[in-house]
């Protein structure tokens, strides 16, 4: 079994060694330009087109992250990059679910306990206890309800918040009110106080968080973007913050990364920023998942995590 690996920023040697340990029966190598030798599996992130093109013998391609939009965008420009019938897999969890739970819960509690307001008061040396928010008035809405969305929903329910989700198809998560399709988006938004974005990046979701959507949220709502920067129209977010419709935003992803130093998001007092760190690929867990999935494929089984090229996730 031959495995090729390509990632522009990961420590390649540690990944090669780890994969070899997980799959001692495999021959694992770093892909380099001009390498046309046989391969059964490819592990990639932002792969060059020539790495995959023409490799009809591949049994699977693994995107080294939860999102596969970088591969799908290249496929649009180069439809032959991924040979027909070769399955594409994403890292469904590999520790990302727990990281997303930590991030979402910590920020929701930050807003719910009004720590943002107390920080603003601190800047003015103002000692003033504030009225508490009520959980029943603090409905949390998840845009996107896949594997990560389901885990985030579960963690928030444990804190007693009303939780709802919206996705392409209805979900059956315990304690979560599910909405689906364009016809139910308005019902989902109505009354949502905290909007958490975990949507996949597809042509249908680009720019979905815009002025029209934000206007349908509850007054003084909050936005937490953990998915992709292209989902959010940043100018519309800033306008909604300035006119009082939104009370705050926490952003981990941006339409341009790194975020340019002249972006008005940096200086806005009610925007918090992190540099795309909400959930990062953890090598040990990712390698274990990849090895387990490859063994399932080798046994003729159908593993979870395969991406629908039609839907983009």
């Amino acid at each position: 079994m031959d495995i090729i690996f390509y990632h522009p920023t990961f420590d390649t040697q540690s990944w090669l060694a780890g994969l070899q340990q997980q799959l001692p029966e495999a021959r694992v190598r770093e892909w380099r330009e001009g390498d046309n030798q046989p391969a059964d599996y490819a592990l990639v992130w932002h792969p060059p087109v020539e790495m995959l093109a023409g490799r009809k013998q591949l049994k699977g391609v693994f995107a080294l992250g939860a999102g596969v939009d970088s591969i799908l965008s290249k496929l649009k420009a180069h439809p032959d990059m991924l040979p027909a019938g070769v399955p594409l897999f994403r890292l469904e969890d590999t520790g990302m679910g727990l990281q997303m739970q930590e991030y979402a819960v910590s920020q929701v509690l930050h807003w719910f306990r009004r720590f943002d307001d107390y920080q603003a008061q601190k800047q003015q040396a103002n000692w003033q206890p504030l009225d508490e928010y009520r959980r029943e008035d603090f409905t949390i809405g998840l845009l996107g309800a896949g594997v990560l969305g389901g885990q985030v929903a579960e963690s928030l329910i444990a804190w007693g918040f009303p939780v709802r989700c919206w996705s392409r198809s209805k979900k059956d998560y315990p304690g979560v009110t599910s909405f689906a399709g364009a016809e139910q988006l308005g019902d989902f938004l109505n009354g949502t106080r905290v909007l958490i974005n975990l949507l996949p990046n597809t042509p249908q979701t680009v720019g979905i968080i815009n002025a029209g959507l934000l206007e349908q949220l509850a007054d003084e709502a909050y936005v937490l973007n953990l998915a992709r920067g292209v989902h959010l129209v940043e100018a519309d977010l800033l306008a909604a913050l300035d006119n009082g419709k939104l009370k705050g935003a926490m952003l981990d992803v941006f339409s341009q990364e790194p975020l340019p130093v002249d972006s008005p998001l940096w200086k806005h007092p009610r925007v918090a920023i992190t540099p795309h760190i909400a959930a990062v690929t953890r090598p040990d867990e990712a390698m274990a998942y990849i090895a387990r999935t490859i063994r399932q494929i080798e046994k003729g089984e159908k593993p979870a995590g395969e991406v629908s090229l039609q839907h983009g996730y």
Side-chain angles (χ1 to χ4, degrees):
M1 179 197 309
D2 292 285
I3 299 173
I4 49 177
F5 176 93
Y6 176 86
H7 196 294
T9 60
F10 278 1
D11 181 347
T12 297
Q13 293 310 310
S14 68
W15 270 80
L16 295 181
L19 289 163
Q20 193 69 71
Q21 186 175 13
Q22 289 280 347
L23 292 163
E25 69 274 25
R27 292 174 293 276
V28 187
R29 70 181 188 272
E30 177 185 9
W31 181 87
R32 300 188 181 208
E33 187 176 356
D35 179 352
N36 296 313
Q37 295 302 306
D40 299 291
Y41 298 94
L43 282 51
V44 302
W45 190 250
H46 293 281
V49 172
E50 59 269 26
M51 178 182 181
L52 302 177
R55 290 187 179 274
K56 297 179 181 179
Q57 78 279 16
L58 284 172
K59 301 176 186 178
V61 173
F62 291 83
L64 296 172
V68 294
D69 39 301
S70 68
I71 294 178
L72 296 180
S73 63
K74 280 196 174 183
L75 272 175
K76 275 189 178 180
H78 306 277
D80 297 332
M81 182 180 80
L82 189 64
V86 175
L88 174 64
F89 296 91
R90 66 179 183 272
L91 301 186
E92 277 209 319
D93 187 345
T94 63
M96 294 182 188
L98 178 59
Q99 293 176 74
M100 285 291 191
Q101 288 176 325
E102 294 166 347
Y103 196 117
V105 168
S106 65
Q107 188 57 39
V108 168
L109 292 176
H110 180 88
W111 286 325
F112 178 68
R113 291 300 306 271
R114 304 195 67 172
F115 293 147
D116 54 333
D117 292 322
Y118 286 118
Q119 180 63 18
Q121 287 188 172
K122 182 249 186 186
Q123 302 300 326
Q124 301 173 5
N126 180 14
W127 180 284
Q128 178 61 52
L130 301 171
D131 292 337
E132 295 182 348
Y133 289 144
R134 302 189 309 168
R135 273 177 171 75
E136 55 265 37
D137 300 328
F138 221 72
T139 298
I140 299 165
L142 293 162
L143 266 179
V147 173
L148 294 178
Q151 291 175 314
V152 169
E154 179 184 8
S155 66
L156 290 166
I157 286 173
W159 285 91
F161 293 106
V163 179
R164 57 178 62 167
C165 69
W166 179 85
S167 54
R168 184 176 59 87
S169 57
K170 282 222 172 192
K171 304 300 181 184
D172 188 23
Y173 296 133
V176 179
T177 304
S178 178
F179 298 84
E183 65 278 4
Q184 292 190 340
L185 180 57
D187 293 334
F188 162 79
L189 296 168
N190 184 28
T192 292
R193 186 69 184 278
V194 179
L195 183 71
I196 301 178
N197 179 36
L198 285 166
L199 284 169
N201 180 11
T202 69
Q204 293 74 33
T205 61
V206 171
I208 191 172
I209 306 176
N210 52 35
L213 181 145
L214 296 172
E215 187 57 37
Q216 297 178 70
L217 296 171
D219 290 338
E220 295 195 330
Y222 301 90
V223 170
L224 176 56
N225 192 9
L226 300 177
R228 287 291 185 265
V230 295
H231 291 138
L232 174 66
V233 181
E234 293 172 357
D236 290 356
L237 175 85
L238 290 167
L241 287 165
D242 290 340
N243 67 28
K245 179 62 183 182
L246 294 183
K247 192 171 181 187
M250 181 79 179
L251 309 177
D252 183 58
V253 289
F254 305 88
S255 55
Q256 182 179 344
E257 297 182 2
L259 185 64
V261 295
D262 59 352
S263 169
L265 293 169
W266 284 114
K267 295 183 179 179
H268 200 288
R270 285 183 286 135
V271 174
I273 288 172
T274 50
H276 204 147
I277 50 79
V280 298
T281 301
R282 290 181 169 162
D284 290 345
E285 293 173 70
M287 291 179 209
Y289 163 79
I290 291 167
R292 184 168 61 250
T293 303
I294 287 176
R295 288 200 171 99
Q296 287 178 297
I297 296 171
E298 290 293 307
K299 292 177 183 176
E301 300 172 1
K302 188 171 178 60
E306 184 173 349
V307 174
S308 165
L309 298 184
Q310 177 185 357
H311 296 129
Y313 54 92

